């Protein structure tokens, strides 16, 4: 039997044909991201063999220790995107300031925001890590020279978002607002091959994912939910927490359940970053039939006020997110 091989670039082109609003330029931009993630994946696969494990000794703008792979991933994405003349601004979790590649009067209309390496604390111990990206378009109504007006847009304005997980295999999931599609990197040909189109998240699921060590710092309603899942009435929940958002989200997307990173005493606004973590994953979750909230409002409706803004995040199966909220609001 002849097997069809559909690779990511081809898939993007076909999406473009089905949705003529997607331009060829956009495909060109996405291909820079896939190229970068293939390079990062190759580094990750050789991590123990070359000197790329461990900390650099520097601290980033988030106050976190920078790992060597954080730097490699950040540089790789910046280099690959830098060659695409339609990318105007790049914003990375690892950079203090946005990188302005082209001035607004150029045709460089896209803004790419990314977490180059998610799950840094898991790098050295061979646990899944990832890359997350979000794509916006420059606003027509922003004032000249007002870079932040272009960047600080709510998540519902994203035109694409995705992530790559470097795990037992390297998988990419992306959306442009027409469903979520998933690809596996085939190392023998160096291409992401389509494995699932229109991925849907189960509407419910009895897996909760949270760093429960912080539970005493969580709001009372979240503590009540965490007590409830352990009761007989709840009917047998399981806990899974990897500590790499991409990996915890990927499992939740495929198997259902809920991921929570509520506010804590240490991080009263939550720990995760709105622009490079919560927004892109919220877009994917919604496109797959799930939902994402900060406890008060839909993540995608939040108006960002600063580049490295943090947020609390409850994301996953629609019914389970709703259940968490019912405890939190009570
Ligand atoms: P990053 O490595 O990009 O800084 O992100 C780490 C994040 C996220 O991946 C994960 O969900 C969370 O940190 C884990 O935090 P805790 O160790 O506090 O549970
Ligand atoms: Mn991260
Ligand atoms: Mn990171």
């Amino acid at each position: 039997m002849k097997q069809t091989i559909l690779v990511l670039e081809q898939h993007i082109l076909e999406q473009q044909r089905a949705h003529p609003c997607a331009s060829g330029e956009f495909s060109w931009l996405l291909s820079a991201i896939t190229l970068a993630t293939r390079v990062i994946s190759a580094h990750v696969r050789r991590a123990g063999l070359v000197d790329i494990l461990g900390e650099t000794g520097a601290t980033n703008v988030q106050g976190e220790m920078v790992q060597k792979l954080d730097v490699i991933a950040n540089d790789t994405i910046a280099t690959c995107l830098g060659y695409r003349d339609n990318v105007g601004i790049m914003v990375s979790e690892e950079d203090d300031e946005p990188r302005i590649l082209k001035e607004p009067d150029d045709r460089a209309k896209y803004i790419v925001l990314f977490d180059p390496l998610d799950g840094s604390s898991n790098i050295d111990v061979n646990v899944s890590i990832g890359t997350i990206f979000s794509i916006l378009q420059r606003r027509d109504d922003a004032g000249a020279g007002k870079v932040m007006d272009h960047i600080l847009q709510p998540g519902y304005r994203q035109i694409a978002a995705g992530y790559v997980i470097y795990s037992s295999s390297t998988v990419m999931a992306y959306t442009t607002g027409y469903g979520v599609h998933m690809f596996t990197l085939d190392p023998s040909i160096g291409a992401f091959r389509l494995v699932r189109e229109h991925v849907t998240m189960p509407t419910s699921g009895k897996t909760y994912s949270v760093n429960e060590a912080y539970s005493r710092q969580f709001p009372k309603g979240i503590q009540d939910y965490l007590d409830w899942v352990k009761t007989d009435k709840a009917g047998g929940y399981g806990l899974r927490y990897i500590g790499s958002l991409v990996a915890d989200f990927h499992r939740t997307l495929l198997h259902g359940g809920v991921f929570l990173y509520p506010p804590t005493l240490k991080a009263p606004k939550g720990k995760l970053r709105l622009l490079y973590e919560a927004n892109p994953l919220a877009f994917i979750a919604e496109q797959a039939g799930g939902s994402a909230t900060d406890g008060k409002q839909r993540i995608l409706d939040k108006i960002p006020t600063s580049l490295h803004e943090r947020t609390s995040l409850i994301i996953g199966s629609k019914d389970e997110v709703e259940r968490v909220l019912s405890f939190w609001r009570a």
Side-chain angles (χ1 to χ4, degrees):
M1 196 178 81
K2 211 171 109 192
Q3 205 194 350
T4 317
I5 298 180
L6 188 63
V7 299
L8 182 67
E9 290 72 12
Q10 223 173 323
H11 191 263
I12 297 169
L13 284 172
E14 282 182 15
Q15 287 267 306
Q16 205 176 295
R17 228 169 281 144
H19 310 288
C21 48
S23 67
E25 279 186 72
F26 178 64
S27 319
W28 180 232
L29 159 59
L30 267 187
S31 71
I33 296 176
T34 58
L35 172 62
T37 57
R38 290 200 318 255
V39 174
I40 296 169
S41 180
H43 281 293
V44 171
R45 297 272 165 247
R46 302 185 63 232
L49 306 173
V50 286
D51 181 29
I52 55 172
L53 292 180
E55 295 167 349
T56 59
T59 306
N60 69 9
V61 63
Q62 325 271 344
E64 297 157 349
M65 295 302 292
V66 178
Q67 307 288 317
K68 290 178 190 165
L69 257 179
D70 282 323
V71 176
I72 291 170
N74 199 30
D75 290 349
T76 303
I77 298 175
T79 306
C80 292
L81 286 174
Y83 284 113
R84 299 294 195 262
D85 53 9
N86 52 8
V87 180
I89 305 172
M90 269 192 298
V91 188
S92 165
E93 180 198 84
E94 294 298 331
D95 296 338
D96 300 5
E97 299 291 335
R99 302 188 198 201
I100 317 295
L101 303 179
K102 312 263 171 14
E103 289 310 318
D105 50 345
D106 286 332
R107 281 185 306 120
K109 61 181 175 199
Y110 295 112
I111 303 166
V112 186
L113 306 101
F114 53 92
D115 176 356
L117 219 286
D118 175 67
S120 307
S121 67
N122 281 324
I123 295 172
D124 287 0
V125 289
N126 273 54
V127 175
S128 307
I129 49 182
T131 296
I132 312 174
F133 64 90
S134 157
I135 302 177
L136 294 166
Q137 264 185 304
R138 267 187 164 132
R139 294 175 53 160
D140 294 333
D141 55 346
K146 296 232 171 113
V147 175
M148 285 303 170
D149 287 355
H150 293 290
I151 298 171
L152 300 178
Q153 300 187 52
Y156 67 77
R157 290 232 180 96
Q158 292 173 102
I159 57 165
Y163 65 84
V164 174
I165 175 167
Y166 312 105
S167 186
S168 46
S169 59
T170 298
V171 171
M172 163 174 277
Y174 88 98
T175 185
T176 52
Y178 301 101
V180 178
H181 313 295
M182 216 170 258
F183 301 78
T184 298
L185 182 62
D186 182 341
S188 64
I189 58 170
F192 280 104
R193 291 173 59 177
L194 180 68
V195 289
R196 275 167 185 247
E197 247 183 332
H198 296 285
V199 177
T200 53
M201 192 184 295
T203 48
S204 62
K206 287 183 182 291
T207 303
Y208 70 105
S209 185
V210 66
N211 192 333
E212 213 164 349
Y214 307 145
S215 60
R216 289 194 181 175
Q217 301 181 44
F218 293 157
K220 165 101 178 29
I222 299 290
Q223 294 187 21
D224 291 344
Y225 170 76
L226 295 176
D227 286 340
W228 177 82
V229 294
K230 297 171 190 102
T231 60
D232 290 345
K233 205 172 158 216
Y237 273 71
L239 165 65
R240 292 284 182 279
Y241 190 71
I242 296 166
S244 292
L245 175 62
V246 161
D248 282 314
F249 177 78
H250 187 65
R251 182 198 56 251
T252 307
L253 174 62
L254 295 177
H255 288 174
V258 65
F259 171 92
L260 309 94
Y261 208 115
T264 60
L265 295 178
K266 194 176 156 209
K269 290 188 169 157
K271 175 187 180 187
L272 298 170
R273 272 74 28 150
L274 176 61
L275 294 181
Y276 340 96
E277 294 176 321
N279 268 345
L281 298 186
F283 190 15
I284 291 180
E286 288 198 5
Q287 283 293 314
S291 66
T293 168
D294 68 356
K296 294 198 176 74
Q297 66 179 138
R298 179 182 175 230
I299 290 289
L300 296 182
D301 284 336
K302 284 179 76 111
I303 312 280
T305 53
S306 69
L307 209 55
H308 299 291
E309 182 168 333
R310 311 257 182 170
T311 180
S312 49
L313 178 67
I314 299 162
I315 190 167
S317 296
K318 221 178 186 122
D319 294 351
E320 205 53 32
V321 171
E322 206 38 61
R323 190 194 302 280
V324 175
L325 285 179
S326 68
F327 277 91
W328 199 350
R329 286 189 197 123

